[in-house]
Amino acid sequence: MEPEKIFFEIHSNLPREGPGNAASSIKALEALTDLPPSPRILDVGCGPGEQTLLLAEKTGGRVVAVDTHDPFLEVLKEKADRVGLGDQIQTENQSMSELRFPDGSFDLIWSEGAIYVMGFEEGLKAWKPLLAPGGYLAVTHISWFDENPPDEPRKFWEEAYPAIRTVEENLAILTRLGYTEVAHFPLPEAAWWDEYYNPMEQRITELREKYRNDSGALSVLSGEYREIELFRKYSDCYGYAFFVMRKAD
Ligand SMILES: C[S@@+](CC[C@H](N)C(=O)[O-])C[C@H]1O[C@@H](n2cnc3c(N)ncnc32)[C@H](O)[C@@H]1O
């Protein structure tokens, strides 16, 4: 079985595709005190779209949700229609690195757990022109909470995402790129377990049984499991932080 197929078998029909929860999204939204009524919102790397639904519901605005994996977009569309938010949510298969929208199109750009695909700095740079003057950008991003992390997580992240920085370094990056910080806070551990790692761990257990004679598949499953174990051990030294900022120039 090809590694990519196994990866998507692990990552299908999970409530979320990254750490996050409604309480954290609401806390970030509440920091946007100057958001206009019915804001125009772009949700980048929306995945199955739990946060997209919340944004539409809480702001009453229109949300364009983009992702490159069609099955996630289909799941989101179906959920949006089911809960009566279909008219407010438009899904589009677009890559975050080549977004096709006119400059100044959005009052708010939102991205939970996806900016790592481009890199924090590159994403912040690329998306800024799409914001209206004074528009907001809110992202969650993997960050060190400890300036001197132990070897095991340091080595893991040097391979998985070498551009990982401390929260303070990420704040300095956003300021340098012409944003003003509005708020930042770490996601609680529950935001990793409840809707992401717990269901994922359960899925890995089922797939280990299904692919017990497929060494390639088992190796992908072990890699994913290792990430969960690492967080169990070292959640005090890294995690996701919400960075809420505003276009300053
Ligand atoms: C970790 S998941 C987060 C999904 C969702 N925001 C959540 O929190 O559940 C990252 C998402 O980015 C999407 N993605 C990967 N590469 C992308 C790209 N180049 N452009 C847009 N989305 C991309 C993936 O398909 C996936 O849905």
Side-chain angles (χ1 to χ4, degrees):
M1 176 65 79
E2 293 153 39
E4 198 179 68
K5 272 195 163 164
I6 294 289
F7 180 83
F8 279 119
E9 212 172 329
I10 302 170
H11 290 272
S12 303
N13 301 318
L14 298 178
R16 284 183 181 266
E17 279 302 326
N21 62 14
S24 302
S25 305
I26 290 170
K27 186 170 169 183
L29 252 186
E30 284 173 351
L32 313 181
T33 47
D34 283 336
L35 203 59
S38 301
R40 299 160 298 166
I41 303 173
L42 176 67
D43 184 3
V44 182
C46 60
E50 282 303 300
Q51 74 292 324
T52 322
L53 299 169
L54 182 140
L55 287 168
E57 189 204 327
K58 297 284 179 202
T59 66
R62 274 193 69 77
V63 190
V64 181
V66 300
D67 204 285
T68 45
H69 188 55
D70 278 329
F72 290 155
L73 296 172
E74 282 154 24
V75 166
L76 169 56
K77 196 71 200 139
E78 196 227 300
K79 286 197 281 194
D81 288 340
R82 197 167 355 111
V83 298
L85 292 169
D87 290 347
Q88 281 172 257
I89 294 176
Q90 178 188 335
T91 54
E92 286 197 23
N93 187 326
Q94 284 205 33
S95 172
M96 64 174 79
S97 49
E98 291 166 51
L99 290 166
R100 302 182 301 271
F101 301 102
D103 285 359
S105 294
F106 298 101
D107 303 304
L108 168 61
I109 297 179
W110 196 272
S111 184
E112 293 199 28
I115 197 169
Y116 76 91
V117 172
M118 286 182 76
F120 187 74
E121 182 156 353
E122 291 71 15
L124 258 50
K125 264 189 219 159
W127 304 342
K128 194 173 167 202
L130 302 182
L131 284 172
Y136 289 104
L137 176 59
V139 300
T140 63
H141 189 52
I142 187 81
S143 305
W144 291 122
F145 298 151
D146 180 341
E147 277 179 27
N148 295 300
D151 274 359
E152 195 181 354
R154 193 176 46 75
K155 283 189 182 140
F156 176 89
W157 285 109
E158 268 171 13
E159 236 178 73
Y161 183 71
I164 184 170
R165 299 281 179 267
T166 62
V167 171
E168 293 307 318
E169 286 168 336
N170 285 328
L171 291 172
I173 290 172
L174 71 85
T175 306
R176 173 161 55 77
L177 294 180
Y179 292 92
T180 310
E181 186 207 333
V182 173
H184 77 275
F185 56 89
L187 262 61
E189 282 188 32
W192 288 73
W193 293 112
D194 296 351
E195 295 172 55
Y196 187 47
Y197 275 167
N198 285 340
M200 190 169 142
E201 195 171 1
Q202 171 71 33
R203 179 74 48 79
I204 289 172
T205 306
E206 290 158 15
L207 293 176
R208 273 186 165 151
E209 183 52 30
K210 178 173 170 189
Y211 293 110
R212 63 184 179 280
N213 296 321
D214 181 334
S215 60
L218 290 173
S219 140
V220 176
L221 291 165
S222 292
E224 295 287 291
Y225 187 70
R226 190 173 157 230
E227 185 190 311
I228 299 176
E229 281 300 289
L230 193 83
F231 185 72
R232 214 188 305 279
K233 254 167 108 178
Y234 295 109
S235 57
D236 53 337
C237 60
Y238 70 88
Y240 264 74
F242 235 118
F243 295 95
V244 184
M245 63 202 90
R246 198 164 189 190
K247 185 175 172 173
D249 51 35

